[in-house]
Amino acid sequence: MALARRGGKACERAGIDGLTFHDLRGTAVVRLAIAGASVPQIAAVTGHSLKDVEAILEAHYLGRDIQLAEAAVLKLEARTKL
């Protein structure tokens, strides 16, 4: 994939070692989710399928990311103000 090759070259120039294009792409999925992007929005940015975005979030990040948990609680509180 041309984008993966470009990503790899960009990593080399930036001095990022030990990560692949796919690692960075997965990180983008998480950071977008933390920022409040929806699964379809994330898929549009990263080029993943909706199913793949959900799988990445479920398998690797959702249960362990305190920022996502805090964002969810803040959203709930904002919608249920008494």
Side-chain angles (χ1 to χ4, degrees):
M1 165 194 294
L3 188 57
R5 282 194 301 277
R6 287 186 193 147
K9 289 179 183 179
C11 286
E12 287 175 21
R13 286 194 302 273
I16 298 171
D17 191 32
L19 294 175
T20 68
F21 170 75
H22 296 289
D23 294 328
L24 298 175
R25 206 169 155 216
T27 299
V29 168
V30 174
R31 296 187 126 222
L32 288 163
I34 291 169
S38 67
V39 169
Q41 290 170 329
I42 295 168
V45 171
T46 65
H48 287 99
S49 69
L50 298 177
K51 193 175 192 177
D52 285 346
V53 170
E54 290 171 349
I56 289 167
L57 292 173
E58 184 177 323
H60 300 289
Y61 304 103
L62 281 181
R64 294 183 281 188
D65 195 298
I66 190 68
Q67 288 177 308
L68 279 175
E70 289 172 352
V73 170
L74 289 173
K75 285 182 178 183
L76 177 63
E77 289 174 348
R79 293 183 68 95
T80 57
K81 292 258 186 217
L82 300 175

PDB file of all heavy atoms in Angstrom, residues 4-23:
ATOM      1  N   ALA A   4       0.989   3.214   3.293  1.00  0.00           N
ATOM      2  CA  ALA A   4       1.792   2.552   4.323  1.00  0.00           C
ATOM      3  C   ALA A   4       3.277   2.813   4.095  1.00  0.00           C
ATOM      4  O   ALA A   4       4.020   3.063   5.046  1.00  0.00           O
ATOM      5  CB  ALA A   4       1.510   1.054   4.343  1.00  0.00           C
ATOM      6  N   ARG A   5       3.709   2.781   2.841  1.00  0.00           N
ATOM      7  CA  ARG A   5       5.116   3.068   2.538  1.00  0.00           C
ATOM      8  C   ARG A   5       5.454   4.506   2.912  1.00  0.00           C
ATOM      9  O   ARG A   5       6.493   4.773   3.505  1.00  0.00           O
ATOM     10  CB  ARG A   5       5.418   2.808   1.072  1.00  0.00           C
ATOM     11  CG  ARG A   5       5.580   1.341   0.744  1.00  0.00           C
ATOM     12  CD  ARG A   5       6.197   1.144  -0.629  1.00  0.00           C
ATOM     13  NE  ARG A   5       5.410   1.747  -1.698  1.00  0.00           N
ATOM     14  CZ  ARG A   5       4.361   1.191  -2.287  1.00  0.00           C
ATOM     15  NH1 ARG A   5       3.965  -0.005  -1.905  1.00  0.00           N
ATOM     16  NH2 ARG A   5       3.714   1.794  -3.249  1.00  0.00           N
ATOM     17  N   ARG A   6       4.566   5.414   2.576  1.00  0.00           N
ATOM     18  CA  ARG A   6       4.803   6.825   2.921  1.00  0.00           C
ATOM     19  C   ARG A   6       4.827   7.000   4.433  1.00  0.00           C
ATOM     20  O   ARG A   6       5.624   7.759   4.961  1.00  0.00           O
ATOM     21  CB  ARG A   6       3.721   7.712   2.314  1.00  0.00           C
ATOM     22  CG  ARG A   6       3.862   7.877   0.836  1.00  0.00           C
ATOM     23  CD  ARG A   6       2.865   8.885   0.324  1.00  0.00           C
ATOM     24  NE  ARG A   6       2.800   8.807  -1.108  1.00  0.00           N
ATOM     25  CZ  ARG A   6       1.731   9.029  -1.822  1.00  0.00           C
ATOM     26  NH1 ARG A   6       0.600   9.368  -1.235  1.00  0.00           N
ATOM     27  NH2 ARG A   6       1.748   8.941  -3.127  1.00  0.00           N
ATOM     28  N   GLY A   7       3.917   6.317   5.112  1.00  0.00           N
ATOM     29  CA  GLY A   7       3.884   6.394   6.571  1.00  0.00           C
ATOM     30  C   GLY A   7       5.168   5.886   7.184  1.00  0.00           C
ATOM     31  O   GLY A   7       5.707   6.466   8.121  1.00  0.00           O
ATOM     32  N   GLY A   8       5.674   4.777   6.640  1.00  0.00           N
ATOM     33  CA  GLY A   8       6.930   4.222   7.127  1.00  0.00           C
ATOM     34  C   GLY A   8       8.096   5.163   6.910  1.00  0.00           C
ATOM     35  O   GLY A   8       8.943   5.336   7.785  1.00  0.00           O
ATOM     36  N   LYS A   9       8.124   5.793   5.762  1.00  0.00           N
ATOM     37  CA  LYS A   9       9.196   6.753   5.475  1.00  0.00           C
ATOM     38  C   LYS A   9       9.088   7.974   6.374  1.00  0.00           C
ATOM     39  O   LYS A   9      10.088   8.506   6.842  1.00  0.00           O
ATOM     40  CB  LYS A   9       9.161   7.151   4.008  1.00  0.00           C
ATOM     41  CG  LYS A   9       9.611   6.030   3.087  1.00  0.00           C
ATOM     42  CD  LYS A   9       9.539   6.432   1.632  1.00  0.00           C
ATOM     43  CE  LYS A   9       9.929   5.252   0.755  1.00  0.00           C
ATOM     44  NZ  LYS A   9       9.859   5.562  -0.664  1.00  0.00           N
ATOM     45  N   ALA A  10       7.874   8.415   6.636  1.00  0.00           N
ATOM     46  CA  ALA A  10       7.676   9.559   7.530  1.00  0.00           C
ATOM     47  C   ALA A  10       8.141   9.217   8.942  1.00  0.00           C
ATOM     48  O   ALA A  10       8.742  10.046   9.617  1.00  0.00           O
ATOM     49  CB  ALA A  10       6.211   9.987   7.532  1.00  0.00           C
ATOM     50  N   CYS A  11       7.868   7.984   9.375  1.00  0.00           N
ATOM     51  CA  CYS A  11       8.328   7.541  10.697  1.00  0.00           C
ATOM     52  C   CYS A  11       9.848   7.559  10.774  1.00  0.00           C
ATOM     53  O   CYS A  11      10.420   8.010  11.766  1.00  0.00           O
ATOM     54  CB  CYS A  11       7.808   6.139  11.020  1.00  0.00           C
ATOM     55  SG  CYS A  11       6.071   6.085  11.425  1.00  0.00           S
ATOM     56  N   GLU A  12      10.485   7.080   9.725  1.00  0.00           N
ATOM     57  CA  GLU A  12      11.941   7.071   9.688  1.00  0.00           C
ATOM     58  C   GLU A  12      12.501   8.482   9.803  1.00  0.00           C
ATOM     59  O   GLU A  12      13.407   8.745  10.586  1.00  0.00           O
ATOM     60  CB  GLU A  12      12.445   6.430   8.390  1.00  0.00           C
ATOM     61  CG  GLU A  12      12.284   4.933   8.333  1.00  0.00           C
ATOM     62  CD  GLU A  12      12.693   4.365   6.974  1.00  0.00           C
ATOM     63  OE1 GLU A  12      13.452   5.034   6.237  1.00  0.00           O
ATOM     64  OE2 GLU A  12      12.233   3.257   6.644  1.00  0.00           O
ATOM     65  N   ARG A  13      11.935   9.406   9.020  1.00  0.00           N
ATOM     66  CA  ARG A  13      12.410  10.792   9.052  1.00  0.00           C
ATOM     67  C   ARG A  13      12.186  11.435  10.412  1.00  0.00           C
ATOM     68  O   ARG A  13      12.970  12.265  10.844  1.00  0.00           O
ATOM     69  CB  ARG A  13      11.716  11.614   7.959  1.00  0.00           C
ATOM     70  CG  ARG A  13      12.219  11.312   6.554  1.00  0.00           C
ATOM     71  CD  ARG A  13      11.756  12.358   5.559  1.00  0.00           C
ATOM     72  NE  ARG A  13      10.311  12.488   5.499  1.00  0.00           N
ATOM     73  CZ  ARG A  13       9.494  11.766   4.726  1.00  0.00           C
ATOM     74  NH1 ARG A  13      10.003  10.842   3.927  1.00  0.00           N
ATOM     75  NH2 ARG A  13       8.197  11.956   4.724  1.00  0.00           N
ATOM     76  N   ALA A  14      11.112  11.045  11.092  1.00  0.00           N
ATOM     77  CA  ALA A  14      10.797  11.619  12.404  1.00  0.00           C
ATOM     78  C   ALA A  14      11.545  10.917  13.527  1.00  0.00           C
ATOM     79  O   ALA A  14      11.446  11.328  14.684  1.00  0.00           O
ATOM     80  CB  ALA A  14       9.293  11.539  12.652  1.00  0.00           C
ATOM     81  N   GLY A  15      12.271   9.860  13.204  1.00  0.00           N
ATOM     82  CA  GLY A  15      13.023   9.137  14.223  1.00  0.00           C
ATOM     83  C   GLY A  15      12.158   8.211  15.064  1.00  0.00           C
ATOM     84  O   GLY A  15      12.546   7.832  16.161  1.00  0.00           O
ATOM     85  N   ILE A  16      10.983   7.841  14.555  1.00  0.00           N
ATOM     86  CA  ILE A  16      10.096   6.921  15.264  1.00  0.00           C
ATOM     87  C   ILE A  16      10.505   5.513  14.896  1.00  0.00           C
ATOM     88  O   ILE A  16      10.466   5.132  13.738  1.00  0.00           O
ATOM     89  CB  ILE A  16       8.620   7.175  14.893  1.00  0.00           C
ATOM     90  CG1 ILE A  16       8.218   8.589  15.297  1.00  0.00           C
ATOM     91  CG2 ILE A  16       7.722   6.146  15.550  1.00  0.00           C
ATOM     92  CD1 ILE A  16       6.867   9.010  14.779  1.00  0.00           C
ATOM     93  N   ASP A  17      10.899   4.747  15.906  1.00  0.00           N
ATOM     94  CA  ASP A  17      11.386   3.393  15.654  1.00  0.00           C
ATOM     95  C   ASP A  17      10.499   2.389  16.379  1.00  0.00           C
ATOM     96  O   ASP A  17       9.993   2.658  17.465  1.00  0.00           O
ATOM     97  CB  ASP A  17      12.824   3.274  16.159  1.00  0.00           C
ATOM     98  CG  ASP A  17      13.484   2.001  15.711  1.00  0.00           C
ATOM     99  OD1 ASP A  17      13.168   1.508  14.610  1.00  0.00           O
ATOM    100  OD2 ASP A  17      14.320   1.479  16.472  1.00  0.00           O
ATOM    101  N   GLY A  18      10.285   1.233  15.766  1.00  0.00           N
ATOM    102  CA  GLY A  18       9.547   0.169  16.418  1.00  0.00           C
ATOM    103  C   GLY A  18       8.048   0.230  16.217  1.00  0.00           C
ATOM    104  O   GLY A  18       7.325  -0.548  16.819  1.00  0.00           O
ATOM    105  N   LEU A  19       7.572   1.151  15.423  1.00  0.00           N
ATOM    106  CA  LEU A  19       6.142   1.245  15.129  1.00  0.00           C
ATOM    107  C   LEU A  19       5.919   1.102  13.639  1.00  0.00           C
ATOM    108  O   LEU A  19       6.737   1.531  12.838  1.00  0.00           O
ATOM    109  CB  LEU A  19       5.570   2.593  15.594  1.00  0.00           C
ATOM    110  CG  LEU A  19       5.544   2.851  17.081  1.00  0.00           C
ATOM    111  CD1 LEU A  19       5.062   4.260  17.362  1.00  0.00           C
ATOM    112  CD2 LEU A  19       4.648   1.854  17.794  1.00  0.00           C
ATOM    113  N   THR A  20       4.804   0.511  13.296  1.00  0.00           N
ATOM    114  CA  THR A  20       4.445   0.387  11.890  1.00  0.00           C
ATOM    115  C   THR A  20       3.353   1.391  11.548  1.00  0.00           C
ATOM    116  O   THR A  20       2.746   2.005  12.439  1.00  0.00           O
ATOM    117  CB  THR A  20       3.909  -1.026  11.581  1.00  0.00           C
ATOM    118  OG1 THR A  20       2.647  -1.184  12.256  1.00  0.00           O
ATOM    119  CG2 THR A  20       4.874  -2.105  12.027  1.00  0.00           C
ATOM    120  N   PHE A  21       3.092   1.516  10.280  1.00  0.00           N
ATOM    121  CA  PHE A  21       1.998   2.362   9.816  1.00  0.00           C
ATOM    122  C   PHE A  21       0.695   1.927  10.474  1.00  0.00           C
ATOM    123  O   PHE A  21      -0.108   2.759  10.904  1.00  0.00           O
ATOM    124  CB  PHE A  21       1.897   2.261   8.289  1.00  0.00           C
ATOM    125  CG  PHE A  21       0.661   2.910   7.731  1.00  0.00           C
ATOM    126  CD1 PHE A  21       0.561   4.280   7.655  1.00  0.00           C
ATOM    127  CD2 PHE A  21      -0.392   2.129   7.285  1.00  0.00           C
ATOM    128  CE1 PHE A  21      -0.579   4.878   7.141  1.00  0.00           C
ATOM    129  CE2 PHE A  21      -1.535   2.718   6.761  1.00  0.00           C
ATOM    130  CZ  PHE A  21      -1.617   4.096   6.689  1.00  0.00           C
ATOM    131  N   HIS A  22       0.504   0.626  10.612  1.00  0.00           N
ATOM    132  CA  HIS A  22      -0.743   0.116  11.187  1.00  0.00           C
ATOM    133  C   HIS A  22      -0.843   0.444  12.678  1.00  0.00           C
ATOM    134  O   HIS A  22      -1.943   0.683  13.184  1.00  0.00           O
ATOM    135  CB  HIS A  22      -0.882  -1.384  10.918  1.00  0.00           C
ATOM    136  CG  HIS A  22      -0.985  -1.674   9.454  1.00  0.00           C
ATOM    137  ND1 HIS A  22      -2.095  -1.357   8.717  1.00  0.00           N
ATOM    138  CD2 HIS A  22      -0.099  -2.202   8.589  1.00  0.00           C
ATOM    139  CE1 HIS A  22      -1.896  -1.690   7.452  1.00  0.00           C
ATOM    140  NE2 HIS A  22      -0.692  -2.208   7.352  1.00  0.00           N
ATOM    141  N   ASP A  23       0.297   0.476  13.368  1.00  0.00           N
ATOM    142  CA  ASP A  23       0.289   0.906  14.769  1.00  0.00           C
ATOM    143  C   ASP A  23      -0.200   2.347  14.866  1.00  0.00           C
ATOM    144  O   ASP A  23      -1.029   2.686  15.709  1.00  0.00           O
ATOM    145  CB  ASP A  23       1.691   0.834  15.386  1.00  0.00           C
ATOM    146  CG  ASP A  23       2.235  -0.573  15.496  1.00  0.00           C
ATOM    147  OD1 ASP A  23       1.440  -1.504  15.685  1.00  0.00           O
ATOM    148  OD2 ASP A  23       3.469  -0.721  15.388  1.00  0.00           O
TER     149      ASP A  23
END
